[in-house]
Amino acid sequence: MGSPRLDEQMILNDITNKVLPAPLLRVVRLIGREASNAGIDVYLVGGIVRDMLLGRKNLDLDIVVEGNALGFGHELKSVFGGTLVEHKRFGTASLFISRPGSAGRIDIAAARREKYEKPAALPAVEFAQLKDDLYRRDFTINAMAVKIEPGGLGALIDMFGGRDDLKKGFIRALHDRSFIDDPTRIFRAVRFEQRFGFKIELRTGYLIRDAASRGMVRLTEAQRIREELILICREEKPEKAVLRMRDLHELVFIHKDLSFSGTLGRMFAVSRSLVKWYGVFIKSPAGIEVWIINFLIMIDSLGVKETREVTDKFVFSNDDRNKILSFKENRDNVRRHLERDGKMLPSEVCGVLRPLSDEVILSIMARSRPGVLRERCRKYLRSYRDIKLKVTGDDLIKLGLPRGPRYREILKKALSAKLDGKLPGKADELRYLEKNVTQNTP
Ligand code: CTP
């Protein structure tokens, strides 16, 4: 039995060298060596193959093993170290490795077997397994594979015309049941289309509308839809996808009252520049969840009640839910206080902003014109909130104050005084404590 026919025999090493960072390439080669030692075939699949062909950086390795994925996961862990998370129910594993410049994570899945095995020689059967695995995927551009050889990458395996669709710029489902099998793909189609500036191919567009009109999204686990919404909000320019979702009548799945007004595009742009500013002057944007800022823009037309319905329906984590609702509940109040003309003491600004997360503050800034509110928020993020007292509760103990709620009260008052520039040094702080302790002690 000869080797299986490949739609295109293309050696990817050239591209790989350009696109994959050297440490990642070394990881790939090591995987190839381990696979060859274990006598199994291993393929790179999905997004990374697509991105290699597009010349885009992608550090997440998705591999499919024709054999025992969990066992192979353990072998890779013994080579790379890191943390192996096994998903026993699916027979898959994720290895998280943290070498600088190297893969963030390696997802390892087993090529699922066909229901029956063909009486054919091994390579053909193996190939059928891989084909089966690829056929279950969302779009042709995500259904390509490359065999990992000990020396690097082998030939491109493109059984459904993915490479052609990449060239032509089409998002094309692999089969007519694709969106019925997995309605989250309704959102994925839009996300990839807008990320790459592609077009959802005509028939695929019909399939999306058909699955949507049959209520498939409502039948899907809300958490899975939530993850797709979060991914859309993590895109570089989420407004493109949100606009397209509006045109495809997909926003209704988030909430029936959701609309997308023309001003949202501007809001996304403003918040992008604020996030950049935050990254330069405050701390790495990784310290905040940028998707929350974008999600808040996406649901800008919803009030507090409707927002609560959304966070409940999609079961957001408590942390995320609190941030999302805190924005809706506090926005007007913050604006009322901080848009006021005239002098405002730093302690007053802190009183308004301290209870809020940075995502919420940036979201409020993104909705205001350049002016006092933004300036006050900037000052709070850049300096006020880092101002700390030099004195502590120990100093109050030394002053003989009996333990109790007054400790907090006095220290809070002292901090306000310090913020407003009244206590420049530690000696001033101590004097302030002393005065407060004696003044209020019966
Ligand atoms: N996949 C799928 N159907 C889904 C989710 C994923 O078929 N609903 C497949 C696709 O082949 C996809 C792969 O699983 O390429 C990995 O999924 P994911 O990491 O979500 O997609 P990527 O293509 O890697 O997307 P991104 O570039 O956004 O990370």
Side-chain angles (χ1 to χ4, degrees):
M1 188 85 193
S3 56
R5 197 186 78 78
L6 302 180
D7 285 330
E8 194 170 351
Q9 286 282 343
M10 207 192 77
I11 304 299
L12 284 177
N13 279 328
D14 254 12
I15 300 173
T16 319
N17 289 333
K18 282 186 215 123
V19 177
L20 293 190
L24 192 57
L25 198 56
R26 273 198 295 281
V27 169
V28 169
R29 291 209 179 99
L30 281 173
I31 293 175
R33 203 190 63 197
E34 284 309 301
S36 151
N37 288 345
I40 54 175
D41 288 330
V42 175
Y43 301 89
L44 209 51
V45 289
I48 189 159
V49 178
R50 173 201 70 213
D51 286 346
M52 275 182 345
L53 292 167
L54 286 173
R56 290 170 70 106
K57 203 167 163 190
N58 186 333
L59 295 182
D60 289 334
L61 294 179
D62 240 327
I63 60 175
V64 160
V65 173
E66 284 187 332
N68 177 355
L70 293 182
F72 193 62
H74 280 284
E75 274 170 49
L76 292 188
K77 180 175 156 55
S78 68
V79 176
F80 297 116
T83 313
L84 186 74
V85 178
E86 295 182 54
H87 316 286
K88 290 216 164 87
R89 205 176 125 209
F90 303 105
T92 63
S94 303
L95 180 63
F96 295 87
I97 52 179
S98 52
R99 292 185 180 181
S102 162
R105 95 189 239 178
I106 306 176
D107 283 318
I108 309 138
R112 284 177 256 185
R113 285 170 187 280
E114 286 190 311
K115 288 183 190 75
Y116 55 91
E117 294 220 341
K118 286 186 189 135
L122 202 59
V125 175
E126 284 176 354
F127 199 61
Q129 281 173 33
L130 179 70
K131 183 168 185 177
D132 208 32
D133 182 278
L134 296 175
Y135 190 60
R136 286 170 213 269
R137 289 171 184 265
D138 50 5
F139 308 113
T140 56
I141 59 167
N142 289 342
M144 292 179 277
V146 181
K147 191 160 177 193
I148 305 180
E149 316 269 8
L153 292 181
L156 177 74
I157 299 166
D158 174 18
M159 293 182 264
F160 309 105
R163 182 144 170 76
D164 202 38
D165 282 339
L166 267 188
K167 277 190 201 138
K168 292 185 180 142
F170 281 133
I171 303 296
R172 186 193 307 270
L174 287 163
H175 53 80
D176 287 2
R177 281 192 55 83
S178 186
F179 299 100
I180 306 280
D181 289 347
D182 183 351
T184 64
R185 292 172 177 171
I186 290 174
F187 300 99
R188 291 174 67 84
V190 169
R191 180 157 60 87
F192 291 121
E193 179 195 56
Q194 297 306 313
R195 182 197 292 173
F196 301 130
F198 283 10
K199 260 286 43 60
I200 295 176
E201 171 269 337
L202 198 64
R203 185 176 177 84
T204 304
Y206 286 128
L207 296 173
I208 289 178
R209 275 186 277 272
D210 177 55
S213 68
R214 284 162 70 179
M216 295 316 295
V217 176
R218 290 192 182 86
L219 295 177
T220 310
E221 245 186 312
Q223 288 91 322
R224 295 195 57 220
I225 307 287
R226 178 196 65 215
E227 289 312 304
E228 286 304 326
L229 297 179
I230 291 178
L231 288 175
I232 285 174
C233 291
R234 285 203 169 119
E235 289 292 309
E236 208 174 304
K237 293 205 168 154
E239 59 267 45
K240 291 187 185 174
V242 180
L243 205 59
R244 184 73 161 121
M245 281 162 73
R246 181 192 67 180
D247 296 344
L248 289 170
H249 307 291
E250 290 181 6
L251 292 181
V252 71
F253 297 120
I254 305 175
H255 193 283
K256 65 178 180 11
D257 299 337
L258 194 60
S259 58
F260 185 95
S261 83
T263 58
L264 293 203
R266 215 189 102 67
M267 237 188 264
F268 276 112
V270 173
S271 86
R272 258 193 301 280
S273 60
L274 283 170
V275 167
K276 223 187 242 167
W277 166 83
Y278 182 92
V280 172
F281 291 105
I282 315 296
K283 51 182 161 186
S284 118
I288 48 170
E289 292 286 5
V290 176
W291 74 261
I292 290 188
I293 299 170
N294 289 333
F295 186 72
L296 284 169
I297 301 177
M298 192 192 232
I299 59 160
D300 197 63
S301 61
L302 301 182
V304 179
K305 178 172 157 284
E306 294 80 19
T307 303
R308 195 167 290 126
E309 287 163 5
V310 169
T311 52
D312 288 349
K313 177 164 98 178
F314 292 109
V315 210
F316 280 88
S317 74
N318 275 342
D319 231 31
D320 296 342
R321 179 178 187 275
N322 290 343
K323 284 180 185 169
I324 291 166
L325 286 172
S326 139
F327 169 76
K328 294 283 181 179
E329 287 162 353
N330 292 296
R331 168 176 60 175
D332 292 344
N333 189 35
V334 172
R335 285 174 65 170
R336 233 189 345 267
H337 278 89
L338 299 190
E339 269 173 359
R340 225 171 50 203
D341 283 330
K343 191 166 162 53
M344 194 170 180
L345 292 171
S347 61
E348 293 176 84
V349 174
C350 286
V352 175
L353 294 179
R354 220 187 274 287
L356 306 177
S357 68
D358 288 7
E359 289 90 342
V360 169
I361 295 174
L362 288 168
S363 296
I364 291 172
M365 291 169 81
R367 283 156 181 79
S368 69
R369 297 186 179 288
V372 282
L373 180 142
R374 278 208 207 162
E375 208 35 56
R376 286 166 177 157
C377 291
R378 277 205 169 94
K379 282 192 176 142
Y380 168 77
L381 292 171
R382 282 195 72 167
S383 81
Y384 298 166
R385 65 156 166 200
D386 297 323
I387 295 176
K388 303 264 178 327
L389 287 171
K390 293 199 170 71
V391 291
T392 65
D394 287 348
D395 297 297
L396 289 172
I397 296 177
K398 283 183 201 145
L399 289 168
L401 182 73
R403 281 190 188 280
R406 284 194 56 218
Y407 271 64
R408 263 193 77 188
E409 262 167 49
I410 295 177
L411 289 171
K412 199 171 157 201
K413 266 178 71 184
L415 180 61
S416 290
K418 186 173 176 91
L419 278 163
D420 298 340
K422 294 177 192 152
L423 309 175
K426 187 165 179 185
D428 306 288
E429 292 181 21
L430 280 168
R431 258 195 304 280
Y432 186 89
L433 293 192
E434 217 173 314
K435 200 172 106 209
N436 270 271
V437 168
T438 44
Q439 247 177 19
N440 296 308
T441 308

